mmCIF file of all heavy atoms in Angstrom:
data_model
loop_
_atom_site.group_PDB
_atom_site.id
_atom_site.type_symbol
_atom_site.label_atom_id
_atom_site.label_comp_id
_atom_site.label_asym_id
_atom_site.label_seq_id
_atom_site.Cartn_x
_atom_site.Cartn_y
_atom_site.Cartn_z
ATOM 1 N N GLY A 3 19.901 -7.206 -11.087
ATOM 2 C CA GLY A 3 19.087 -7.105 -12.289
ATOM 3 C C GLY A 3 18.101 -5.960 -12.198
ATOM 4 O O GLY A 3 18.274 -5.041 -11.404
ATOM 5 N N THR A 4 17.066 -6.011 -12.996
ATOM 6 C CA THR A 4 16.094 -4.931 -12.995
ATOM 7 C C THR A 4 14.722 -5.384 -12.515
ATOM 8 O O THR A 4 13.771 -4.632 -12.603
ATOM 9 C CB THR A 4 15.959 -4.339 -14.403
ATOM 10 O OG1 THR A 4 15.583 -5.382 -15.302
ATOM 11 C CG2 THR A 4 17.249 -3.691 -14.852
ATOM 12 N N SER A 5 14.588 -6.593 -12.011
ATOM 13 C CA SER A 5 13.317 -7.056 -11.476
ATOM 14 C C SER A 5 13.427 -7.169 -9.964
ATOM 15 O O SER A 5 14.399 -7.702 -9.443
ATOM 16 C CB SER A 5 12.955 -8.428 -12.059
ATOM 17 O OG SER A 5 12.740 -8.329 -13.433
ATOM 18 N N TYR A 6 12.431 -6.651 -9.289
ATOM 19 C CA TYR A 6 12.452 -6.582 -7.837
ATOM 20 C C TYR A 6 11.027 -6.847 -7.363
ATOM 21 O O TYR A 6 10.088 -6.192 -7.813
ATOM 22 C CB TYR A 6 12.945 -5.191 -7.438
ATOM 23 C CG TYR A 6 13.074 -4.879 -5.973
ATOM 24 C CD1 TYR A 6 13.702 -5.757 -5.099
ATOM 25 C CD2 TYR A 6 12.613 -3.679 -5.480
ATOM 26 C CE1 TYR A 6 13.839 -5.438 -3.759
ATOM 27 C CE2 TYR A 6 12.750 -3.347 -4.141
ATOM 28 C CZ TYR A 6 13.362 -4.234 -3.292
ATOM 29 O OH TYR A 6 13.509 -3.910 -1.965
ATOM 30 N N HIS A 7 10.808 -7.834 -6.475
ATOM 31 C CA HIS A 7 9.470 -8.230 -6.036
ATOM 32 C C HIS A 7 9.371 -8.225 -4.518
ATOM 33 O O HIS A 7 9.346 -9.281 -3.884
ATOM 34 C CB HIS A 7 9.112 -9.617 -6.576
ATOM 35 C CG HIS A 7 9.119 -9.681 -8.062
ATOM 36 N ND1 HIS A 7 8.054 -9.272 -8.817
ATOM 37 C CD2 HIS A 7 10.078 -10.058 -8.936
ATOM 38 C CE1 HIS A 7 8.346 -9.407 -10.096
ATOM 39 N NE2 HIS A 7 9.570 -9.891 -10.190
ATOM 40 N N PRO A 8 9.299 -7.046 -3.919
ATOM 41 C CA PRO A 8 9.237 -6.979 -2.448
ATOM 42 C C PRO A 8 7.814 -7.087 -1.923
ATOM 43 O O PRO A 8 6.844 -6.924 -2.649
ATOM 44 C CB PRO A 8 9.780 -5.580 -2.165
ATOM 45 C CG PRO A 8 9.287 -4.789 -3.338
ATOM 46 C CD PRO A 8 9.386 -5.727 -4.524
ATOM 47 N N THR A 9 7.730 -7.347 -0.626
ATOM 48 C CA THR A 9 6.476 -7.261 0.108
ATOM 49 C C THR A 9 6.660 -6.144 1.128
ATOM 50 O O THR A 9 7.654 -6.120 1.847
ATOM 51 C CB THR A 9 6.156 -8.581 0.823
ATOM 52 O OG1 THR A 9 6.006 -9.601 -0.165
ATOM 53 C CG2 THR A 9 4.883 -8.476 1.627
ATOM 54 N N GLY A 10 5.721 -5.206 1.169
ATOM 55 C CA GLY A 10 5.779 -4.099 2.116
ATOM 56 C C GLY A 10 4.634 -4.223 3.109
ATOM 57 O O GLY A 10 3.531 -4.637 2.759
ATOM 58 N N VAL A 11 4.897 -3.870 4.374
ATOM 59 C CA VAL A 11 3.892 -3.969 5.430
ATOM 60 C C VAL A 11 3.899 -2.675 6.235
ATOM 61 O O VAL A 11 4.966 -2.134 6.532
ATOM 62 C CB VAL A 11 4.194 -5.163 6.367
ATOM 63 C CG1 VAL A 11 3.194 -5.225 7.508
ATOM 64 C CG2 VAL A 11 4.208 -6.466 5.587
ATOM 65 N N GLY A 12 2.715 -2.187 6.589
ATOM 66 C CA GLY A 12 2.597 -0.999 7.425
ATOM 67 C C GLY A 12 1.376 -1.102 8.317
ATOM 68 O O GLY A 12 0.406 -1.777 7.975
ATOM 69 N N THR A 13 1.415 -0.437 9.471
ATOM 70 C CA THR A 13 0.279 -0.429 10.397
ATOM 71 C C THR A 13 0.065 0.983 10.932
ATOM 72 O O THR A 13 0.969 1.826 10.890
ATOM 73 C CB THR A 13 0.488 -1.380 11.587
ATOM 74 O OG1 THR A 13 1.666 -0.991 12.285
ATOM 75 C CG2 THR A 13 0.600 -2.822 11.145
ATOM 76 N N ILE A 14 -1.127 1.208 11.455
ATOM 77 C CA ILE A 14 -1.480 2.494 12.066
ATOM 78 C C ILE A 14 -2.557 2.245 13.117
ATOM 79 O O ILE A 14 -3.312 1.273 13.004
ATOM 80 C CB ILE A 14 -1.994 3.508 11.005
ATOM 81 C CG1 ILE A 14 -2.226 4.900 11.581
ATOM 82 C CG2 ILE A 14 -3.277 3.014 10.379
ATOM 83 C CD1 ILE A 14 -0.975 5.625 11.948
ATOM 84 N N MET A 15 -2.618 3.105 14.117
ATOM 85 C CA MET A 15 -3.725 3.080 15.072
ATOM 86 C C MET A 15 -4.402 4.442 15.004
ATOM 87 O O MET A 15 -3.735 5.474 15.061
ATOM 88 C CB MET A 15 -3.257 2.805 16.491
ATOM 89 C CG MET A 15 -4.429 2.737 17.486
ATOM 90 S SD MET A 15 -3.935 2.410 19.184
ATOM 91 C CE MET A 15 -3.833 0.639 19.142
ATOM 92 N N TYR A 16 -5.714 4.425 14.831
ATOM 93 C CA TYR A 16 -6.510 5.649 14.787
ATOM 94 C C TYR A 16 -7.502 5.649 15.937
ATOM 95 O O TYR A 16 -8.060 4.598 16.281
ATOM 96 C CB TYR A 16 -7.351 5.706 13.507
ATOM 97 C CG TYR A 16 -6.711 6.346 12.309
ATOM 98 C CD1 TYR A 16 -6.476 5.606 11.160
ATOM 99 C CD2 TYR A 16 -6.387 7.697 12.292
ATOM 100 C CE1 TYR A 16 -5.926 6.186 10.031
ATOM 101 C CE2 TYR A 16 -5.840 8.291 11.165
ATOM 102 C CZ TYR A 16 -5.612 7.529 10.038
ATOM 103 O OH TYR A 16 -5.072 8.112 8.925
ATOM 104 N N GLU A 17 -7.778 6.827 16.472
ATOM 105 C CA GLU A 17 -8.921 7.001 17.355
ATOM 106 C C GLU A 17 -10.044 7.500 16.465
ATOM 107 O O GLU A 17 -9.919 8.551 15.825
ATOM 108 C CB GLU A 17 -8.632 7.993 18.472
ATOM 109 C CG GLU A 17 -9.779 8.105 19.434
ATOM 110 C CD GLU A 17 -9.393 8.744 20.757
ATOM 111 O OE1 GLU A 17 -8.280 9.258 20.891
ATOM 112 O OE2 GLU A 17 -10.241 8.697 21.663
ATOM 113 N N LEU A 18 -11.128 6.730 16.381
ATOM 114 C CA LEU A 18 -12.226 7.046 15.480
ATOM 115 C C LEU A 18 -13.510 7.320 16.250
ATOM 116 O O LEU A 18 -13.752 6.706 17.289
ATOM 117 C CB LEU A 18 -12.486 5.883 14.515
ATOM 118 C CG LEU A 18 -11.324 5.438 13.622
ATOM 119 C CD1 LEU A 18 -11.737 4.239 12.776
ATOM 120 C CD2 LEU A 18 -10.854 6.585 12.736
ATOM 121 N N ALA A 19 -14.315 8.225 15.735
ATOM 122 C CA ALA A 19 -15.676 8.422 16.205
ATOM 123 C C ALA A 19 -16.570 7.487 15.391
ATOM 124 O O ALA A 19 -16.175 7.026 14.311
ATOM 125 C CB ALA A 19 -16.103 9.873 16.003
ATOM 126 N N ALA A 20 -17.765 7.217 15.876
ATOM 127 C CA ALA A 20 -18.714 6.417 15.093
ATOM 128 C C ALA A 20 -18.917 7.103 13.742
ATOM 129 O O ALA A 20 -19.018 8.330 13.660
ATOM 130 C CB ALA A 20 -20.034 6.289 15.834
ATOM 131 N N ASN A 21 -18.894 6.327 12.673
ATOM 132 C CA ASN A 21 -19.080 6.755 11.280
ATOM 133 C C ASN A 21 -17.857 7.398 10.632
ATOM 134 O O ASN A 21 -17.928 7.790 9.478
ATOM 135 C CB ASN A 21 -20.315 7.655 11.115
ATOM 136 C CG ASN A 21 -21.568 6.911 11.492
ATOM 137 O OD1 ASN A 21 -21.777 5.778 11.071
ATOM 138 N ND2 ASN A 21 -22.388 7.523 12.328
ATOM 139 N N ASP A 22 -16.727 7.527 11.343
ATOM 140 C CA ASP A 22 -15.471 7.893 10.665
ATOM 141 C C ASP A 22 -15.096 6.734 9.759
ATOM 142 O O ASP A 22 -15.442 5.579 10.035
ATOM 143 C CB ASP A 22 -14.335 8.098 11.680
ATOM 144 C CG ASP A 22 -14.388 9.446 12.378
ATOM 145 O OD1 ASP A 22 -15.161 10.322 11.954
ATOM 146 O OD2 ASP A 22 -13.639 9.610 13.368
ATOM 147 N N TYR A 23 -14.368 7.028 8.689
ATOM 148 C CA TYR A 23 -13.926 5.941 7.808
ATOM 149 C C TYR A 23 -12.434 6.032 7.534
ATOM 150 O O TYR A 23 -11.828 7.096 7.613
ATOM 151 C CB TYR A 23 -14.740 5.909 6.507
ATOM 152 C CG TYR A 23 -14.497 7.066 5.567
ATOM 153 C CD1 TYR A 23 -13.483 7.019 4.611
ATOM 154 C CD2 TYR A 23 -15.301 8.196 5.611
ATOM 155 C CE1 TYR A 23 -13.263 8.076 3.741
ATOM 156 C CE2 TYR A 23 -15.092 9.251 4.749
ATOM 157 C CZ TYR A 23 -14.081 9.189 3.813
ATOM 158 O OH TYR A 23 -13.859 10.240 2.958
ATOM 159 N N VAL A 24 -11.852 4.884 7.222
ATOM 160 C CA VAL A 24 -10.419 4.777 6.949
ATOM 161 C C VAL A 24 -10.232 4.076 5.610
ATOM 162 O O VAL A 24 -10.919 3.102 5.302
ATOM 163 C CB VAL A 24 -9.695 3.990 8.071
ATOM 164 C CG1 VAL A 24 -8.238 3.726 7.712
ATOM 165 C CG2 VAL A 24 -9.792 4.749 9.386
ATOM 166 N N THR A 25 -9.299 4.610 4.811
ATOM 167 C CA THR A 25 -8.906 3.997 3.548
ATOM 168 C C THR A 25 -7.389 3.898 3.516
ATOM 169 O O THR A 25 -6.688 4.523 4.320
ATOM 170 C CB THR A 25 -9.357 4.830 2.330
ATOM 171 O OG1 THR A 25 -8.814 6.153 2.446
ATOM 172 C CG2 THR A 25 -10.865 4.897 2.231
ATOM 173 N N TRP A 26 -6.895 3.117 2.564
ATOM 174 C CA TRP A 26 -5.455 3.078 2.315
ATOM 175 C C TRP A 26 -5.230 3.643 0.922
ATOM 176 O O TRP A 26 -5.886 3.242 -0.037
ATOM 177 C CB TRP A 26 -4.901 1.659 2.427
ATOM 178 C CG TRP A 26 -3.423 1.671 2.269
ATOM 179 C CD1 TRP A 26 -2.502 2.012 3.210
ATOM 180 C CD2 TRP A 26 -2.700 1.379 1.079
ATOM 181 N NE1 TRP A 26 -1.252 1.946 2.684
ATOM 182 C CE2 TRP A 26 -1.338 1.560 1.364
ATOM 183 C CE3 TRP A 26 -3.064 0.989 -0.207
ATOM 184 C CZ2 TRP A 26 -0.349 1.354 0.426
ATOM 185 C CZ3 TRP A 26 -2.076 0.794 -1.144
ATOM 186 C CH2 TRP A 26 -0.734 0.968 -0.821
ATOM 187 N N ASN A 27 -4.295 4.608 0.844
ATOM 188 C CA ASN A 27 -4.066 5.359 -0.383
ATOM 189 C C ASN A 27 -2.688 5.034 -0.949
ATOM 190 O O ASN A 27 -1.706 4.977 -0.204
ATOM 191 C CB ASN A 27 -4.184 6.853 -0.075
ATOM 192 C CG ASN A 27 -4.157 7.722 -1.292
ATOM 193 O OD1 ASN A 27 -3.090 8.004 -1.818
ATOM 194 N ND2 ASN A 27 -5.329 8.153 -1.732
ATOM 195 N N ILE A 28 -2.623 4.849 -2.259
ATOM 196 C CA ILE A 28 -1.385 4.476 -2.941
ATOM 197 C C ILE A 28 -0.302 5.538 -2.787
ATOM 198 O O ILE A 28 0.878 5.227 -2.696
ATOM 199 C CB ILE A 28 -1.664 4.198 -4.435
ATOM 200 C CG1 ILE A 28 -2.551 2.961 -4.550
ATOM 201 C CG2 ILE A 28 -0.375 4.046 -5.228
ATOM 202 C CD1 ILE A 28 -3.115 2.735 -5.934
ATOM 203 N N GLY A 29 -0.669 6.805 -2.730
ATOM 204 C CA GLY A 29 0.309 7.869 -2.584
ATOM 205 C C GLY A 29 1.138 8.037 -3.840
ATOM 206 O O GLY A 29 0.636 7.899 -4.955
ATOM 207 N N THR A 30 2.418 8.329 -3.667
ATOM 208 C CA THR A 30 3.315 8.544 -4.806
ATOM 209 C C THR A 30 4.494 7.586 -4.737
ATOM 210 O O THR A 30 4.771 6.993 -3.694
ATOM 211 C CB THR A 30 3.832 9.995 -4.822
ATOM 212 O OG1 THR A 30 4.534 10.255 -3.600
ATOM 213 C CG2 THR A 30 2.681 10.977 -4.975
ATOM 214 N N PHE A 31 5.205 7.475 -5.845
ATOM 215 C CA PHE A 31 6.307 6.528 -5.960
ATOM 216 C C PHE A 31 7.532 7.226 -6.539
ATOM 217 O O PHE A 31 7.417 8.024 -7.470
ATOM 218 C CB PHE A 31 5.883 5.373 -6.875
ATOM 219 C CG PHE A 31 6.989 4.398 -7.156
ATOM 220 C CD1 PHE A 31 7.415 3.528 -6.175
ATOM 221 C CD2 PHE A 31 7.606 4.367 -8.390
ATOM 222 C CE1 PHE A 31 8.442 2.634 -6.415
ATOM 223 C CE2 PHE A 31 8.626 3.479 -8.643
ATOM 224 C CZ PHE A 31 9.053 2.610 -7.653
ATOM 225 N N ALA A 32 8.689 6.927 -5.985
ATOM 226 C CA ALA A 32 9.949 7.456 -6.510
ATOM 227 C C ALA A 32 10.834 6.282 -6.919
ATOM 228 O O ALA A 32 11.134 5.414 -6.110
ATOM 229 C CB ALA A 32 10.651 8.296 -5.451
ATOM 230 N N GLY A 33 11.205 6.250 -8.168
ATOM 231 C CA GLY A 33 12.086 5.207 -8.689
ATOM 232 C C GLY A 33 12.941 5.783 -9.791
ATOM 233 O O GLY A 33 12.785 6.936 -10.182
ATOM 234 N N SER A 34 13.863 4.998 -10.286
ATOM 235 C CA SER A 34 14.709 5.482 -11.374
ATOM 236 C C SER A 34 14.741 4.458 -12.494
ATOM 237 O O SER A 34 14.647 3.253 -12.261
ATOM 238 C CB SER A 34 16.129 5.757 -10.868
ATOM 239 O OG SER A 34 16.707 4.570 -10.370
ATOM 240 N N GLY A 35 14.848 4.943 -13.714
ATOM 241 C CA GLY A 35 14.862 4.081 -14.878
ATOM 242 C C GLY A 35 13.464 3.917 -15.443
ATOM 243 O O GLY A 35 12.476 4.293 -14.824
ATOM 244 N N SER A 36 13.375 3.371 -16.619
ATOM 245 C CA SER A 36 12.062 3.145 -17.215
ATOM 246 C C SER A 36 11.618 1.720 -16.903
ATOM 247 O O SER A 36 12.431 0.860 -16.590
ATOM 248 C CB SER A 36 12.117 3.365 -18.723
ATOM 249 O OG SER A 36 13.023 2.444 -19.308
ATOM 250 N N GLY A 37 10.334 1.487 -16.962
ATOM 251 C CA GLY A 37 9.785 0.168 -16.677
ATOM 252 C C GLY A 37 8.504 0.296 -15.896
ATOM 253 O O GLY A 37 7.889 1.355 -15.844
ATOM 254 N N SER A 38 8.107 -0.777 -15.250
ATOM 255 C CA SER A 38 6.823 -0.773 -14.549
ATOM 256 C C SER A 38 6.996 -0.848 -13.042
ATOM 257 O O SER A 38 8.003 -1.327 -12.528
ATOM 258 C CB SER A 38 5.979 -1.948 -15.032
ATOM 259 O OG SER A 38 6.590 -3.168 -14.664
ATOM 260 N N SER A 39 5.981 -0.348 -12.351
ATOM 261 C CA SER A 39 5.874 -0.461 -10.892
ATOM 262 C C SER A 39 4.435 -0.906 -10.624
ATOM 263 O O SER A 39 3.492 -0.204 -10.939
ATOM 264 C CB SER A 39 6.193 0.864 -10.214
ATOM 265 O OG SER A 39 5.381 1.903 -10.725
ATOM 266 N N THR A 40 4.285 -2.089 -10.051
ATOM 267 C CA THR A 40 2.988 -2.756 -9.998
ATOM 268 C C THR A 40 2.658 -3.260 -8.604
ATOM 269 O O THR A 40 3.529 -3.787 -7.910
ATOM 270 C CB THR A 40 3.006 -3.974 -10.959
ATOM 271 O OG1 THR A 40 3.369 -3.530 -12.258
ATOM 272 C CG2 THR A 40 1.680 -4.680 -11.001
ATOM 273 N N ILE A 41 1.385 -3.114 -8.214
ATOM 274 C CA ILE A 41 0.857 -3.809 -7.042
ATOM 275 C C ILE A 41 0.146 -5.033 -7.601
ATOM 276 O O ILE A 41 -0.768 -4.914 -8.418
ATOM 277 C CB ILE A 41 -0.135 -2.945 -6.246
ATOM 278 C CG1 ILE A 41 0.574 -1.710 -5.687
ATOM 279 C CG2 ILE A 41 -0.759 -3.773 -5.118
ATOM 280 C CD1 ILE A 41 -0.364 -0.716 -5.013
ATOM 281 N N TYR A 42 0.596 -6.211 -7.190
ATOM 282 C CA TYR A 42 0.009 -7.439 -7.712
ATOM 283 C C TYR A 42 -1.363 -7.702 -7.095
ATOM 284 O O TYR A 42 -1.567 -7.480 -5.907
ATOM 285 C CB TYR A 42 0.922 -8.637 -7.465
ATOM 286 C CG TYR A 42 2.182 -8.608 -8.290
ATOM 287 C CD1 TYR A 42 3.426 -8.712 -7.697
ATOM 288 C CD2 TYR A 42 2.130 -8.470 -9.673
ATOM 289 C CE1 TYR A 42 4.584 -8.687 -8.451
ATOM 290 C CE2 TYR A 42 3.281 -8.437 -10.437
ATOM 291 C CZ TYR A 42 4.510 -8.549 -9.820
ATOM 292 O OH TYR A 42 5.647 -8.513 -10.574
ATOM 293 N N GLY A 43 -2.261 -8.196 -7.923
ATOM 294 C CA GLY A 43 -3.615 -8.514 -7.486
ATOM 295 C C GLY A 43 -3.702 -9.903 -6.897
ATOM 296 O O GLY A 43 -4.513 -10.711 -7.332
ATOM 297 N N ALA A 44 -2.888 -10.193 -5.925
ATOM 298 C CA ALA A 44 -2.852 -11.514 -5.295
ATOM 299 C C ALA A 44 -3.293 -11.394 -3.843
ATOM 300 O O ALA A 44 -3.370 -10.296 -3.299
ATOM 301 C CB ALA A 44 -1.424 -12.069 -5.359
ATOM 302 N N LYS A 45 -3.545 -12.525 -3.200
ATOM 303 C CA LYS A 45 -3.931 -12.494 -1.793
ATOM 304 C C LYS A 45 -2.829 -11.942 -0.905
ATOM 305 O O LYS A 45 -3.072 -11.584 0.238
ATOM 306 C CB LYS A 45 -4.339 -13.888 -1.320
ATOM 307 C CG LYS A 45 -5.702 -14.297 -1.803
ATOM 308 C CD LYS A 45 -6.119 -15.612 -1.170
ATOM 309 C CE LYS A 45 -7.515 -15.993 -1.589
ATOM 310 N NZ LYS A 45 -7.929 -17.252 -0.972
ATOM 311 N N GLY A 46 -1.604 -11.863 -1.423
ATOM 312 C CA GLY A 46 -0.505 -11.253 -0.690
ATOM 313 C C GLY A 46 -0.658 -9.757 -0.535
ATOM 314 O O GLY A 46 0.062 -9.120 0.212
ATOM 315 N N THR A 47 -1.617 -9.162 -1.241
ATOM 316 C CA THR A 47 -1.944 -7.746 -1.129
ATOM 317 C C THR A 47 -3.248 -7.666 -0.351
ATOM 318 O O THR A 47 -4.296 -8.094 -0.834
ATOM 319 C CB THR A 47 -2.090 -7.118 -2.530
ATOM 320 O OG1 THR A 47 -0.814 -7.174 -3.181
ATOM 321 C CG2 THR A 47 -2.537 -5.679 -2.448
ATOM 322 N N ARG A 48 -3.173 -7.148 0.899
ATOM 323 C CA ARG A 48 -4.364 -7.156 1.753
ATOM 324 C C ARG A 48 -4.377 -5.994 2.743
ATOM 325 O O ARG A 48 -3.344 -5.407 3.049
ATOM 326 C CB ARG A 48 -4.511 -8.482 2.473
ATOM 327 C CG ARG A 48 -3.316 -8.895 3.287
ATOM 328 C CD ARG A 48 -3.494 -10.332 3.824
ATOM 329 N NE ARG A 48 -2.326 -10.792 4.503
ATOM 330 C CZ ARG A 48 -1.382 -11.552 3.948
ATOM 331 N NH1 ARG A 48 -1.488 -11.919 2.694
ATOM 332 N NH2 ARG A 48 -0.343 -11.939 4.643
#
């Protein structure tokens, strides 16, 4: 069908100095067809 509800997981290790900061960035998305691509606002997104 055309509905797909995956869970994606990723990790990283950084060496940080005091006061360095880390964020997670959405980046870009590649898909085909028209429709929506959504990050759900649920506790499963963390």
Side-chain angles (χ1 to χ4, degrees):
T4 58
S5 295
Y6 181 47
H7 300 278
T9 298
V11 177
T13 59
I14 186 70
M15 182 180 276
Y16 271 117
E17 184 163 9
L18 302 177
N21 298 313
D22 281 349
Y23 69 88
V24 173
T25 57
W26 184 79
N27 188 279
I28 294 169
T30 59
F31 175 73
S34 61
S36 61
S38 65
S39 55
T40 305
I41 297 174
Y42 291 126
K45 284 187 177 181
T47 295
R48 55 187 175 263

